[in-house]
Amino acid sequence: MDPSEMRLNAPRVPDPADAPALRWGILGPGWIADELTTSLRRTKQEVVAVGSRSSERASAFAARHGIDPAHAHGSYEALVADDLVDVVYVATPHSEHHEHALLAIAAGRHVLVEKAFTATAAQARAVVDAARAADVFCMEAMWTRFLPHVDVIRDALERGVLGEVLAVHADHGQNLWPVGPRRLADPRLAGGALLDLGIYPLSFAHLVLGELELRSVDGELTPEGVDEWVVATLAAAGSPGSRPRLAHVSTSMGVRTPTTASVCGTWARLDVDGDFYAPSQVRLVGNDGMVLGAWGRAAGTDHGGLRYQAAELARRVTAGEKESPLMPLDDSIHLMELMDAIRARL
């Protein structure tokens, strides 16, 4: 490659503020729903309704976000039946995503399902089949894939800036156990590090390498029987030639890790600051260690980036499309299959 081409280009991501407006209903008024709703205020999107099993929680959420009290529903069924709603954001725990996504789809609503998409691959296939049969838009809320710095990575890969990509390293660890949300320790609520945190490095590896095959797994279970930490090695499916393309991913809910990512090629690598899954900085580093270029800002968790996935959904729905090429439904199924296989080995 010409040395002048060894650079990082600016992202090609459209401004979320320019996406056509849809009317959103929030299913499950928890922390992540607060973050998305706050982020949507920076766009044309409208949050018009909320549903909870608790009328009090729905009313409190509506009051915080300026939603008409008449559209603060004390049941999920009432939310999905609200004709003001175009799209339902499923923000309940993973253990309930399957049931609640199907509920919204049956009501004819488009759906954005918080990651991890479901608790199992079988549930993921059921949701995808239902959405396709109902002819509604459906997408996993893997917000990382829609962020500007990830498009910088995607562009560099498309232009072959790194040479032959042979390795991906990504980790995500948070100090959330044993002190933290109780759902993370509860097998009945699909607890554990992998579904909540490990989905990020796994999805990143898939973004870079495509379909993956599981090679090895190590980890440790909590006394409650969910995964506290996981380390997995995967290979790109059908890797050509004799040089396998490998991904090394790790996750923990017991310690705070650097939460960084790297994409390594024969000419250069990309390093993504922690937290790599949030708006962050990407550096292009040559084999001699010299930084050849950088894009982005200092690392940090800025949930304002959630608006990018919402804007993607709004553009696709307005265009009459039923899924996003940036987070295809088959990708979500494949990732759930990998997480099933990892947990089975543990």
Side-chain angles (χ1 to χ4, degrees):
M1 171 174 281
D2 188 313
S4 66
E5 294 297 312
M6 295 285 287
R7 67 177 190 275
L8 296 180
N9 290 335
R12 304 158 293 185
V13 179
D15 187 339
D18 295 334
L22 294 180
R23 298 171 302 181
W24 294 68
I26 306 297
L27 195 156
W31 171 79
I32 191 62
D34 269 317
E35 295 295 316
L36 178 73
T37 302
T38 299
S39 183
L40 291 184
R41 286 178 170 173
R42 299 165 66 175
T43 72
K44 297 175 185 175
Q45 307 306 309
E46 300 177 69
V47 178
V48 298
V50 59
S52 173
R53 291 195 178 106
S54 162
S55 296
E56 292 76 15
R57 289 191 70 210
S59 296
F61 186 94
R64 285 198 302 276
H65 296 290
I67 299 170
D68 184 342
H71 296 278
H73 302 290
S75 73
Y76 300 139
E77 290 79 8
L79 171 72
V80 302
D82 189 330
D83 287 335
L84 198 60
V85 172
D86 297 318
V87 54
V88 170
Y89 172 52
V90 176
T92 46
H94 334 298
S95 54
E96 300 181 63
H97 287 178
H98 169 251
E99 175 186 350
H100 296 153
L102 290 179
L103 184 70
I105 290 166
R109 308 303 175 202
H110 304 297
V111 286
L112 177 66
V113 184
E114 190 49 58
K115 56 83 200 157
F117 192 56
T118 52
T120 68
Q123 290 181 353
R125 285 189 286 270
V127 170
V128 170
D129 288 347
R132 288 171 173 166
D135 201 32
V136 299
F137 185 95
C138 181
M139 187 174 81
E140 180 180 2
M142 177 46 69
W143 66 304
T144 305
R145 291 205 179 192
F146 308 99
L147 294 174
H149 78 284
V150 173
D151 188 64
V152 171
I153 295 169
R154 192 180 287 114
D155 173 73
L157 295 173
E158 290 169 358
R159 292 187 293 115
V161 170
L162 306 184
E164 185 182 4
V165 174
L166 297 177
V168 175
H169 297 265
D171 94 287
H172 186 190
Q174 303 284 349
N175 188 8
L176 298 175
W177 182 88
V179 178
R182 285 303 304 164
R183 65 175 180 81
L184 291 177
D186 192 340
R188 296 168 300 176
L189 296 179
L194 187 64
L195 285 172
D196 203 71
L197 308 175
I199 180 61
Y200 283 113
L202 195 61
S203 185
F204 182 81
H206 179 273
L207 169 73
V208 175
L209 297 178
E211 188 170 332
L212 299 167
E213 297 173 345
L214 189 58
R215 287 287 185 89
S216 67
V217 176
D218 198 359
E220 190 71 28
L221 301 181
T222 69
E224 294 90 349
V226 300
D227 48 287
E228 178 187 351
W229 60 267
V230 178
V231 177
T233 301
L234 308 102
S239 295
S242 58
R243 304 184 74 180
R245 298 185 298 139
L246 298 177
H248 182 271
V249 301
S250 59
T251 187
S252 171
M253 64 179 185
V255 293
R256 184 67 162 97
T257 66
T259 309
T260 57
S262 293
V263 181
C264 307
T266 52
W267 297 345
R269 74 174 190 269
L270 295 172
D271 288 340
V272 191
D273 290 344
D275 293 333
F276 80 87
Y277 61 85
S280 190
Q281 185 178 73
V282 182
R283 291 182 305 280
L284 176 63
V285 183
N287 284 338
D288 59 0
M290 181 177 294
V291 176
L292 304 175
W295 188 91
R297 56 170 182 72
T301 303
D302 175 10
H303 286 98
L306 293 168
R307 68 191 187 277
Y308 287 94
Q309 65 183 356
E312 169 74 1
L313 182 149
R315 287 190 294 268
R316 300 293 173 183
V317 167
T318 302
E321 299 174 45
K322 299 304 182 291
E323 58 185 288
S324 167
L326 300 182
M327 188 69 235
L329 292 171
D330 287 342
D331 284 11
S332 294
I333 292 173
H334 176 58
L335 290 165
M336 289 308 313
E337 290 171 340
L338 289 173
M339 289 191 288
D340 280 0
I342 290 170
R343 289 183 295 164
R345 292 202 190 183
L346 291 177

